[in-house]
């Protein structure tokens, strides 16, 4: 019997490995940095991000599969990898001062961020249901801990518990979907699933439909589509703000990376059945996210509902099931990454020792107190609403354009109507920042301070 | 020999029991155990399908799933202990600071 040593093509997952190696380095470095000087670890993490980014650019344009078809090196995976690295780099920058202020300056924070990014990159480049699942779990387990990183804070604990229970629940669905796919087609490899379906057809294989349904529920939880969105507001509100920023961009993009790869690549044979389902989910997700966001008084909760709505817009492009749709999703995620991270960055920036500016009323008068910050926030809000000439507008234009091309004009119309609804709560924040006076209590506090100084 | 469909039906029943358990039970630990039941239902599916298809993939995957489940236990129990220490309860209905 011949024994063939399997090839180990580490080169093709080099960016992810660099992130992993950095995580381990930071973990060891944590031992040698004194408390209060953990900022050095952030620098190390950023170096890792820079290295992985450079490696991604070097690998750009190559196309090959590695580890027996389990992982693919392609522009799709690299592009998603760059989105994750942007999210990671910006989150690290946001975190240094925040961790100090909130008294949770522990090096493990950066390790967990790096490990989560490793999971995301694995998920985006995986071409086997099991690798995608493992990537998802690495990502999720790190984020469960990060969500509860302020471990004595009751809200953070609650957010972590809810995230954990619902996350594990949804992983179960995803995994059962993978198991039934295996039972139905004899493989978990996406390329071989395509081959099997092309050969055997989809008729007379009821397990396959159940499997696709379960996979859709699993991914639906991860990218937070209605009716699987109930964990999002609670988790986003309770988690430390930089972690929320990271989750809202990185974890969502990773969810879409897996979702797109599995459905558009492996199951086009069943697309007649899942496109209308995705379209229905898109309508529900956009509408619920936008309508409920209007009623929110907490900015993190408002951004959470807005992120649900954005998942809905992305589903619009996915439902169009075309190459144009995939490109639109990728472009949208980049625009969304920058604007959403920026909005959370403003929230982090306004945090003071031990407490944060989370109520919308905290933003009253920001236009005169801190004009530059208010201007930045205005730009992000306008971009999230999709007003020209911002990136958000161009990205939405591509999304809905892809839907129109695929003949889903009604879906694009509903998407545009939803953008109009969303403008209400994005613009409300701008109005509060520029046109409303700070609350009496705050004004009183400032005048008292002024009086004391005068005396 | 027991036909493979029996195993698939059994795992389907186990998965449903796990899902219903998560939806109706209120103790975080019991919910957590229900999640484990779901994962084991998945394992059974993989094993039965692997045996039926005469492929080793299914059995290797089960090992990976077990590892992931163990990692989940580590994180999950730590969270539940932290919650219990600060609130003295593991009832998820009483963990309700965050709501709209």
């Amino acid at each position: 019997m011949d024994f063939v040593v399997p090839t180990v093509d580490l080169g093709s997952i080099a960016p992810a490995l660099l992130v992993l190696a950095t995580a381990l380095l930071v973990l060891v470095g944590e031992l040698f940095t004194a408390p209060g000087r953990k900022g050095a670890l952030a620098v190390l993490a950023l170096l890792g991000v820079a290295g992985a980014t450079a490696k991604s650019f070097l690998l750009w344009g190559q196309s090959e599969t590695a580890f027996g078809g389990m992982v693919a090196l392609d522009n799709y995976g690299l592009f998603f990898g760059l989105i994750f690295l942007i999210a990671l780099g910006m989150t690290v920058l946001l975190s240094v001062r925040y961790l100090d202020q909130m008294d949770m300056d522990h090096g493990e924070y950066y390790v967990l961020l790096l490990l989560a990014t490793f999971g995301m990159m694995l998920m985006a480049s995986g071409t086997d249901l099991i690798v995608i699942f493992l990537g998802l779990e690495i990502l999720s387990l790190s984020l469960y801990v990060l969500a509860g990183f302020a471990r004595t804070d009751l809200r953070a604990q609650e957010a972590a518990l809810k995230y954990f229970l619902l996350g594990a629940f949804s992983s179960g669905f995803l995994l059962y979907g993978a198991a039934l796919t295996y039972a139905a087609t004899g493989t978990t490899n996406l390329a071989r699933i395509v081959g099997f379906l092309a050969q055997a057809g989809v008729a007379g294989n009821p397990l396959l439909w159940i499997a696709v349904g379960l996979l859709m529920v699993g991914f639906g939880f991860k990218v937070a589509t209605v009716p699987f969105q109930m964990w999002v507001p609670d988790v986003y509100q309770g988690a430390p703000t930089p972690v929320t920023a990271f989750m809202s961009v990185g974890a969502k993009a990773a969810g879409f990376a897996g979702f797109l790869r599995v459905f558009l690549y492996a199951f086009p044979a069943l697309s007649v059945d899942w496109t209308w389902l995705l379209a229905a989910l898109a309508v529900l997700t956009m509408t619920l996210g936008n309508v409920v966001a209007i009623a929110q008084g907490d900015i993190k909760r408002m951004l959470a509902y807005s992120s649900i709505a954005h998942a809905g817009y992305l589903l619009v492009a996915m439902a169009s099931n075309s190459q144009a749709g995939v490109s639109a999703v990728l472009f949208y995620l980049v625009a969304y990454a920058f604007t959403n991270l920026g909005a959370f960055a403003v929230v982090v920036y306004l945090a003071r020792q031990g407490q944060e500016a989370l109520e919308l009323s905290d933003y009253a008068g920001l236009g005169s107190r801190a004009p530059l910050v208010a201007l930045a926030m205005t730009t992000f809000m306008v971009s999230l609403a999709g007003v020209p000439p911002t990136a958000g507008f161009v990205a939405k234009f591509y999304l809905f354009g892809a839907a129109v091309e695929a003949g889903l004009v009604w879906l694009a119309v509903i998407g545009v109507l939803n953008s109009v609804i969303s403008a209400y709560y994005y613009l409300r924040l701008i109005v509060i920042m520029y046109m409303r006076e700070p609350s009496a209590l705050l004004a009183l506090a400032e005048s008292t301070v002024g009086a004391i100084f005068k005396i | 020999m027991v036909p493979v469909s029996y195993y698939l039906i059994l795992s389907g029943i186990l998965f449903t029991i796990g899902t219903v358990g998560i939806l109706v039970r209120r103790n975080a630990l019991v919910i957590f155990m229900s999640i484990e039941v779901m994962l084991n239902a998945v394992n059974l599916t993989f094993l039965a399908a692997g045996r039926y298809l005469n492929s080793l993939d299914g059995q290797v995957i089960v090992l990976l799933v077990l590892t992931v489940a163990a990692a989940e236990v580590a994180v999950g129990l730590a969270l539940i202990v932290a919650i219990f220490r600060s609130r003295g309860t593991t009832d998820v209905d009483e963990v309700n600071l965050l709501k709209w």
Side-chain angles (χ1 to χ4, degrees):
Chain A
M1 188 176 151
D2 287 333
F3 181 71
V4 185
V5 179
T7 48
V8 179
D9 329 277
L10 294 179
S12 45
I13 53 166
L17 286 179
L18 274 172
V19 172
L20 179 64
T22 316
L24 298 178
L25 263 179
V26 174
L27 191 60
V28 176
E30 214 277 325
L31 294 174
F32 301 103
T33 38
R37 314 200 54 167
K38 304 294 183 193
L41 298 173
V43 176
L44 193 57
L46 286 174
L47 284 178
V49 173
T53 310
K55 187 65 192 168
S56 300
F57 278 113
L58 287 178
L59 289 174
W60 189 261
Q62 292 191 33
S63 183
E64 62 187 44
T65 57
F67 295 98
M70 291 256 183
V71 179
L73 168 65
D74 51 12
N75 283 357
Y76 175 86
L78 287 174
F79 191 90
F80 267 108
L82 288 171
I83 296 178
F84 306 145
L85 289 169
I86 291 168
L88 172 64
M90 286 176 63
T91 309
V92 169
L93 288 174
L94 287 182
S95 304
V96 179
R97 196 180 69 129
Y98 182 87
L99 292 183
D100 199 36
Q101 282 172 343
M102 301 297 150
D103 268 335
M104 45 185 195
D105 194 13
H106 306 292
E108 290 85 359
Y109 179 88
Y110 303 108
V111 178
L112 288 165
L113 278 180
L114 286 159
L115 284 176
T117 311
F118 171 69
M120 291 171 188
M121 294 171 93
L122 206 57
M123 203 175 159
S125 53
T127 50
D128 189 295
L129 287 174
I130 294 307
V131 175
I132 292 177
F133 170 74
L134 287 177
L136 180 74
E137 281 299 308
I138 296 171
L139 147 72
S140 303
L141 285 172
S142 314
L143 284 182
Y144 301 150
V145 183
L146 280 173
F149 204 76
R151 62 196 169 88
T152 48
D153 178 15
L154 291 180
R155 284 164 186 271
Q157 285 179 355
E158 182 175 334
L161 184 73
K162 283 183 174 163
Y163 193 23
F164 170 74
L165 289 177
L166 287 167
F169 183 50
S170 64
S171 303
F173 276 93
L174 190 75
L175 196 61
Y176 199 41
L180 289 182
T181 309
Y182 177 65
T185 65
T187 177
T188 53
N189 187 297
L190 299 185
R192 271 182 248 146
I193 291 173
V194 176
F196 177 88
L197 292 181
Q199 206 183 21
V202 293
N205 210 339
L207 276 186
L208 204 57
W209 266 279
I210 305 176
V212 169
L214 287 166
L215 285 173
M216 193 176 269
V217 174
F219 280 119
F221 258 108
K222 294 297 170 190
V223 301
T225 64
V226 175
F228 316 115
Q229 91 298 350
M230 57 290 193
W231 59 273
V232 176
D234 289 351
V235 174
Y236 280 23
Q237 188 186 0
T241 312
V243 176
T244 309
F246 186 63
M247 279 196 289
S248 73
V249 174
K252 196 172 285 277
F256 270 104
F259 206 171
L260 281 173
R261 175 98 79 177
V262 170
F263 277 81
L264 267 60
Y265 176 61
F267 292 116
L270 294 165
S271 64
V272 188
D273 297 296
W274 57 255
T275 41
W276 68 266
L277 202 58
L278 277 184
L281 283 180
V283 172
L284 283 175
T285 310
M286 287 187 292
T287 313
L288 185 127
N290 281 323
V291 171
V292 183
I294 291 177
Q296 301 305 320
D298 182 292
I299 190 155
K300 274 162 91 179
R301 236 176 145 72
M302 186 194 97
L303 287 170
Y305 278 106
S306 117
S307 92
I308 293 174
H310 284 277
Y313 301 141
L314 288 162
L315 286 178
V316 170
M318 225 183 121
S320 67
N321 185 24
S322 61
Q323 200 55 48
V326 177
S327 318
V329 168
L330 292 176
F331 188 83
Y332 195 89
L333 279 170
V334 176
Y336 171 76
F338 279 109
T339 44
N340 219 39
L341 281 167
F344 278 109
V346 172
V347 180
V348 172
Y349 175 80
L350 294 175
R352 293 282 169 269
Q353 195 74 39
Q355 70 168 39
E356 294 184 75
L358 295 180
E359 294 296 318
L360 287 183
S361 53
D362 292 340
Y363 291 77
L366 195 68
S368 50
R369 272 188 289 151
L372 279 179
V373 180
L375 183 66
M377 194 64 161
T378 307
T379 318
F380 298 137
M381 287 297 130
V382 167
S383 180
L384 281 174
V387 178
T390 54
F393 168 73
V394 183
K396 265 199 187 126
F397 184 79
Y398 283 133
L399 278 189
F400 298 145
V404 171
E405 265 175 42
L408 295 166
V409 179
W410 62 275
L411 194 56
V413 170
I414 295 179
V416 172
L417 288 178
N418 261 292
S419 303
V420 176
I421 302 177
S422 74
Y424 173 77
Y425 58 89
Y426 292 130
L427 296 183
R428 185 180 54 185
L429 183 61
I430 301 176
V431 169
I432 290 176
M433 284 192 304
Y434 285 102
M435 296 176 192
R436 201 169 296 167
E437 294 300 313
S439 64
L441 198 66
L442 195 64
L444 188 69
E446 275 173 7
S447 62
T448 324
V449 174
I452 292 169
F453 272 115
K454 269 176 205 154
I455 295 167
Chain B
M1 196 181 131
V2 186
V4 68
S5 58
Y6 285 29
Y7 289 107
L8 292 184
I9 291 168
L10 174 64
S11 70
I13 293 171
L14 273 178
F15 193 82
T16 314
I17 291 174
T19 311
V20 173
I22 290 167
L23 297 177
V24 301
R25 298 305 290 265
R26 302 276 54 113
N27 185 316
L29 272 175
V30 179
I31 294 179
F32 193 35
M33 279 153 64
S34 304
I35 291 172
E36 294 296 309
V37 173
M38 284 171 74
L39 289 180
N40 281 324
V42 174
N43 282 343
L44 187 62
T45 312
F46 270 120
L47 287 174
R51 184 92 175 90
Y52 171 72
L53 298 161
N54 227 346
S55 97
L56 276 177
D57 293 5
Q59 306 185 19
V60 176
I61 291 168
V62 167
L63 288 179
L64 293 174
V65 174
L66 286 177
T67 318
V68 167
E72 258 175 16
V73 170
V75 172
L77 286 183
L79 283 174
I80 293 172
V81 168
I83 291 256
F84 185 78
R85 276 198 186 145
S86 58
R87 301 184 200 221
T89 176
T90 54
D91 189 321
V92 287
D93 282 343
E94 288 174 36
V95 182
N96 56 4
L97 283 175
L98 302 167
K99 58 182 148 190
W100 71 305

